Amino acid sequence: MRSLLVWSLPVLISAGAGSALADGRTPAEPPVQIGASDAVAEWNGLPAGPGREAVYGLCGACHSLMIVKQQGLNRDAWEETLVWMVEEQGMPELDADSWNQVLDYLAAHYGVHSRKKY
């Protein structure tokens, strides 16, 4: 499984705007769900907001987004998790603006105060 994790993230990040995944989607494009009636369902439950596309692409490339949704971490703990993902799991490094946008998104939607049962 580890080789799959290391392999899939660089492929996702290195894909250009015209690149497509095996199923024809671009890396930031959500899968089409038959019968999905709203935009939240199209993004596997990720609510709209700045950072959603990055979280969808970075996190969903290697594991279920349910793992993200279940965490309920504060911003500092999310940052520690992202550092661990970069250093130990092969997640690509992000520029400072993208890093902060992802952290803001995760803390706002999946922080301690927003923890929901799924």
Side-chain angles (χ1 to χ4, degrees):
M1 182 69 166
R2 177 174 270 202
S3 63
L4 177 63
L5 293 175
V6 173
W7 177 82
S8 62
L9 279 173
V11 169
L12 175 68
I13 298 306
S14 66
S19 298
L21 300 173
D23 63 3
R25 294 180 293 118
T26 60
E29 186 179 359
V32 175
Q33 295 181 357
I34 297 174
S37 61
D38 62 9
V40 172
E42 292 173 4
W43 290 93
N44 288 329
L46 296 179
R52 173 174 69 177
E53 291 82 3
V55 168
Y56 180 88
L58 290 168
C59 303
C62 291
H63 56 73
S64 167
L65 293 173
M66 187 57 70
I67 293 171
V68 174
K69 295 185 237 178
Q70 293 173 341
Q71 297 307 305
L73 304 174
N74 64 32
R75 194 174 198 283
D76 290 339
W78 274 118
E79 184 160 31
E80 289 176 16
T81 300
L82 290 176
V83 167
W84 177 78
M85 293 299 293
V86 168
E87 292 178 355
E88 302 295 330
Q89 301 300 316
M91 188 178 100
E93 290 187 42
L94 302 172
D95 62 67
D97 289 339
S98 297
W99 183 267
N100 286 322
Q101 188 177 62
V102 166
L103 280 174
D104 290 345
Y105 181 88
L106 292 170
H109 296 286
Y110 301 108
V112 175
H113 65 280
S114 64
R115 189 156 188 180
K116 301 174 186 174
K117 299 231 180 222
Y118 294 93

